[in-house]
Amino acid sequence: MYGFEALTFNIHGGYLEAIVRGHRAGLLTTADYNNLCQCETLDDIKMHLTATEYGPYLQNEPSPLHTTTIVEKCTLKLVDDYKNMLCQATEPLSIFLEYITYGHMIDNVVLIVTGTLHERDVQELLEKCHPLGMFDSIATLAVAQNMRELYRLVLVDTPLAPYFSECITSEDLDDMNIEIMRNTLYKAYLEDFYRFCQKLGGATAEIMSDLLAFEADRRAVNITINSIGTELTRDDRRKLYSNFGLLYPYGHEELAVCEDIDQVRAVMEKYPPYQSIFSKLSYGESQMLDKAFYEEEVKRLCLAFEQQFHYAVFFAYMRLREQEIRNLMWISECVAQNQKSRVHDSVVFIF
């Protein structure tokens, strides 16, 4: 029942909630980002990061540094934090934490299948996979020729198995089918995660519903924009939208028939929470849309920490840390390529 978590939450969840709030205090601040944006070389970035929680992961790295090294080591910090929390969690928090990684699993599956289709080396692809989305049989994905084989040979033993029921067809894997597979899997994953959070009830259900609904709506907008001008029919497009969120169901009906970015904008401006996002864009422009969505997401994730006795703080921390790594990657790339004038284009400040 909502409001009574305080009585029992700390028995199993109190210690880990304190840990995750401690991790949250270690996220980079606006002052840190301003200093990083002034750096002239990647070694300057490393020197600044050694004074943060990334210090132990970067201090022994030799020069010359590469952007990939910085991103890899920062991701290792995220993975260590996650594994540490998962080791100490009991049900239902342990299940909640596992749900957080399923999105990375889907991305890894798509990365390997796409790479194999283009005859890339499997070992090289495995190195590019996100460490949070790894599973035992991931390397054998390369042998699959169609969706049915992919499921039968590899994914039947992974947590993604239930999500595959919707997209098992005998069609051969090509770029279009793989992208449809990714979005179908993501839809099934988000709906399952949403149902699980509703079952938990209380503040977790309330806050996670908002965060997952935002994620579902953002995916609906991105699917619409990316499928404009492709052979994807309106019905197929509608099938890829999640069955919850602020846009469900009437917004989905309108998005399904949109033919250009300005029509998408007209649909989204009917929903007050999304008006502010689209008001930042000029007409016909979609390049800055991702950043506007990320900024809105960060705002919502930070608000999750304003309440106590719920699991959404774990989801919020993981997402904020991932955003921080994206920021560091962008800053490092700009410095490495001598494009410092563009350094603020994609940095989303967290605090």
Side-chain angles (χ1 to χ4, degrees):
M1 186 162 36
Y2 182 53
F4 285 88
E5 294 94 338
L7 294 175
T8 57
F9 183 87
N10 283 349
I11 299 170
H12 295 295
Y15 171 68
L16 281 175
E17 190 186 357
I19 291 283
V20 83
R21 286 177 185 275
H23 287 324
R24 179 254 194 198
L27 291 168
L28 300 180
T29 61
T30 306
D32 289 320
Y33 283 121
N34 287 336
N35 290 336
L36 286 167
C37 291
Q38 303 301 318
C39 292
E40 295 294 330
T41 64
L42 292 182
D43 285 320
D44 292 349
I45 290 177
K46 174 191 159 185
M47 193 173 73
H48 184 79
L49 289 177
T50 45
T52 68
E53 289 196 353
Y54 295 117
Y57 295 88
L58 284 166
Q59 62 192 15
N60 297 325
E61 286 303 310
S63 296
L65 271 178
H66 298 286
T67 305
T68 46
T69 312
I70 293 175
V71 172
E72 207 176 287
K73 295 298 173 187
C74 293
T75 306
L76 194 58
K77 152 84 178 141
L78 168 73
V79 173
D80 285 352
D81 287 350
Y82 172 80
K83 285 183 176 168
N84 181 28
M85 292 189 291
L86 184 62
C87 284
Q88 302 182 55
T90 54
E91 287 190 11
L93 176 56
S94 57
I95 299 171
F96 181 88
L97 287 173
E98 283 167 4
Y99 265 109
I100 295 174
T101 63
Y102 293 174
H104 294 301
M105 277 188 197
I106 293 169
D107 290 340
N108 286 355
V109 168
V110 171
L111 176 71
I112 294 210
V113 173
T114 312
T116 311
L117 189 68
H118 294 260
E119 297 174 354
R120 301 279 293 279
D121 179 45
V122 177
Q123 202 51 46
E124 184 191 329
L125 293 168
L126 285 173
E127 284 168 16
K128 290 186 175 175
C129 285
H130 197 289
L132 282 179
M134 298 303 260
F135 50 87
D136 293 341
S137 53
I138 193 165
T140 52
L141 284 170
V143 300
Q145 296 298 313
N146 59 39
M147 306 277 186
R148 206 174 289 271
E149 281 185 17
L150 193 66
Y151 176 74
R152 190 171 55 80
L153 298 174
V154 186
L155 296 166
V156 71
D157 294 326
T158 69
L160 300 182
Y163 309 147
F164 249 84
S165 57
E166 287 184 44
C167 59
I168 296 179
T169 60
S170 297
E171 290 173 36
D172 287 344
L173 294 168
D174 59 28
D175 284 342
M176 182 75 163
N177 285 337
I178 290 171
E179 208 45 49
I180 289 172
M181 177 183 83
R182 181 212 293 269
N183 286 307
T184 312
L185 285 175
Y186 235 103
K187 172 192 172 178
Y189 156 60
L190 283 176
E191 287 174 2
D192 190 30
F193 197 4
Y194 183 81
R195 281 193 298 272
F196 176 72
C197 292
Q198 292 298 318
K199 210 161 64 181
L200 290 175
T204 302
E206 184 193 11
I207 298 165
M208 283 305 297
S209 295
D210 179 57
L211 295 175
L212 290 174
F214 178 77
E215 179 71 18
D217 291 345
R218 173 169 62 182
R219 291 193 75 80
V221 171
N222 286 337
I223 288 166
T224 306
I225 292 171
N226 293 336
S227 62
I228 290 169
T230 65
E231 62 215 46
L232 201 68
T233 65
R234 291 174 178 182
D235 286 338
D236 287 343
R237 193 191 283 183
R238 196 181 291 118
K239 280 180 199 160
L240 298 176
Y241 300 151
S242 301
N243 293 329
F244 68 97
L246 195 61
L247 299 177
Y248 176 75
Y250 303 112
H252 290 173
E253 297 293 332
E254 293 184 65
L255 282 178
V257 298
C258 287
E259 307 263 310
D260 59 42
I261 179 75
D262 289 334
Q263 289 180 5
V264 174
R265 183 192 183 116
V267 172
M268 297 303 286
E269 284 182 340
K270 295 176 186 174
Y271 296 86
Y274 300 126
Q275 268 176 354
S276 58
I277 293 175
F278 281 81
S279 65
K280 294 176 187 172
L281 309 177
S282 55
Y283 279 91
E285 178 189 63
S286 62
Q287 289 86 358
M288 296 303 288
L289 184 60
D290 279 346
K291 186 184 179 187
F293 269 127
Y294 281 138
E295 284 171 346
E296 178 64 26
E297 183 186 33
V298 161
K299 212 184 297 177
R300 290 172 185 235
L301 293 170
C302 290
L303 285 175
F305 288 93
E306 300 298 315
Q307 258 177 283
Q308 254 183 310
F309 311 123
H310 63 87
Y311 294 158
V313 286
F314 297 94
F315 178 82
Y317 168 69
M318 298 295 286
R319 283 301 178 88
L320 288 172
R321 189 63 89 178
E322 283 169 19
Q323 179 59 51
E324 184 171 278
I325 292 167
R326 277 195 295 272
N327 288 344
L328 289 172
M329 181 164 77
W330 177 262
I331 293 169
S332 303
E333 284 289 0
C334 286
V335 169
Q337 295 176 25
N338 209 11
Q339 295 280 337
K340 285 189 65 184
S341 56
R342 298 189 56 202
V343 81
H344 285 286
D345 285 4
S346 278
V347 174
V348 177
F349 294 115
I350 294 175
F351 295 118

